[in-house]
């Protein structure tokens, strides 16, 4: 496949040009296989316009197609505070292009990016996007929930909107909070304290 003919893909409103080995791209992605197969214009001209796609997402996808991983491109040195967005953007874009699960490929650069950039690069919307395209047992769900817990704390409710809106996030947050907490003092709603005694309990 290394001598595959190239296809020309123009991405975004600025029509950024990418040349990608056709055999690799169509082998990995049924989405692009359909685009370049048959007697459609794209198949005849070996050219495709993706006006509504993000050039950064496609740049990462191209690197993944050619190299089989994204470790060299999803780096803090290249993207700065946007590295987290680029990691999650690729995850969502890979889902759109039917590349199959890329969770572990994204996990490798995403975790150090979150540690390195701290809360600068993380937003609540990232939770929605990760949970929207991953399976229940995905390592990325655990990572993104650990991040919300680390940056938002166990009690502040920083990501309460996501707890209410994102299917599975509240349950994952509760599970990981229980794993992380070593002891807790809480008010028992059914406990009637003796006079002068507190109603709280310690677990």
């Amino acid at each position: 496949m290394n001598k595959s003919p190239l296809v020309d893909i123009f991405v975004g409103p600025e029509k950024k040009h990418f040349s990608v080995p056709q055999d690799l791209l169509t082998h990995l992605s049924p989405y692009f296989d359909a685009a370049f197969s048959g007697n459609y214009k794209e198949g005849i001209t070996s050219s495709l316009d993706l006006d509504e796609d993000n050039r950064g997402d496609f740049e990462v996808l191209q690197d993944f197609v050619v190299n089989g991983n994204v470790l060299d491109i999803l780096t803090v040195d290249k993207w700065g505070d946007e590295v987290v967005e680029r990691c999650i953007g690729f995850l969502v874009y890979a889902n759109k292009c039917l590349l199959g699960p890329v969770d572990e490929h994204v996990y490798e650069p995403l975790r150090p990016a979150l540690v390195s950039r701290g809360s600068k690069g993380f937003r609540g919307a990232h939770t929605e996007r990760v949970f929207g395209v991953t399976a229940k047992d995905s390592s990325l769900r655990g990572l993104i929930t650990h991040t919300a817990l680390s940056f938002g704390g166990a009690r502040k409710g920083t990501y309460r909107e996501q707890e209410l809106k994102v299917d599975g996030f509240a349950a994952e947050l509760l599970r990981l909070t229980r794993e992380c907490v070593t002891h807790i003092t809480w008010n028992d709603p059914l406990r009637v304290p003796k006079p002068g005694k507190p109603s709280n309990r310690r677990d």
Side-chain angles (χ1 to χ4, degrees):
M1 290 187 185
N2 60 341
K3 294 184 179 179
S4 167
L6 300 177
V7 291
D8 297 309
I9 300 179
F10 301 89
V11 184
E14 68 276 24
K15 294 190 178 297
K16 170 67 176 177
H17 175 241
F18 296 89
S19 292
V20 188
Q22 180 174 350
D23 288 349
L24 284 174
L25 183 64
T26 56
H27 173 72
L28 291 172
S29 168
Y31 174 86
F32 287 107
D33 185 38
F36 288 109
S37 295
N39 295 319
Y40 298 108
K41 180 189 74 172
E42 292 80 9
I44 296 171
T45 63
S46 297
S47 176
L48 176 65
D49 290 327
L50 299 174
D51 296 339
E52 297 182 2
D53 290 3
N54 181 284
R55 59 184 289 183
D57 292 339
F58 192 88
E59 183 178 352
V60 179
L61 182 141
Q62 179 190 40
D63 209 70
F64 177 77
V65 167
V66 173
N67 298 316
N69 64 73
V70 291
L71 290 175
D72 291 335
I73 192 168
L74 288 177
T75 65
V76 173
D77 287 343
K78 179 174 177 61
W79 299 104
D81 288 344
E82 284 299 305
V83 64
V84 174
E85 173 61 26
R86 289 276 61 84
C87 287
I88 295 175
F90 170 64
L91 174 73
V92 175
Y93 195 57
N95 181 73
K96 173 186 174 180
C97 297
L98 307 176
L99 286 184
V102 295
D103 300 29
E104 296 309 313
H105 290 286
V106 173
Y107 186 99
E108 290 184 74
L110 180 56
R111 191 180 190 284
L114 289 166
V115 172
S116 172
R117 307 319 290 171
S119 59
K120 291 180 181 178
F122 179 71
R123 297 184 285 277
H126 289 148
T127 302
E128 301 171 39
R129 297 173 73 192
V130 168
F131 273 73
V133 297
T134 55
K136 185 177 180 180
D137 60 349
S138 170
S139 59
L140 288 177
R141 289 194 173 197
L143 175 60
I144 217 71
T145 306
H146 269 137
T147 302
L149 184 60
S150 180
F151 296 159
R155 296 188 58 194
K156 291 181 181 178
T158 305
Y159 302 103
R160 191 174 303 278
E161 179 182 353
Q162 283 71 37
E163 290 181 53
L164 297 173
K165 288 174 53 179
V166 180
D167 187 32
F169 175 62
E172 186 71 358
L173 185 62
L174 176 60
R175 182 182 74 83
L176 294 181
T177 300
R178 285 173 172 166
E179 287 185 1
C180 293
V181 170
T182 56
H183 63 270
I184 185 171
T185 301
W186 57 286
N187 292 319
D188 186 338
L190 296 183
R191 183 175 185 180
V192 179
K194 296 179 181 179
K197 297 290 184 179
S199 63
N200 57 31
R201 294 177 56 181
R202 183 181 176 89
D203 289 342

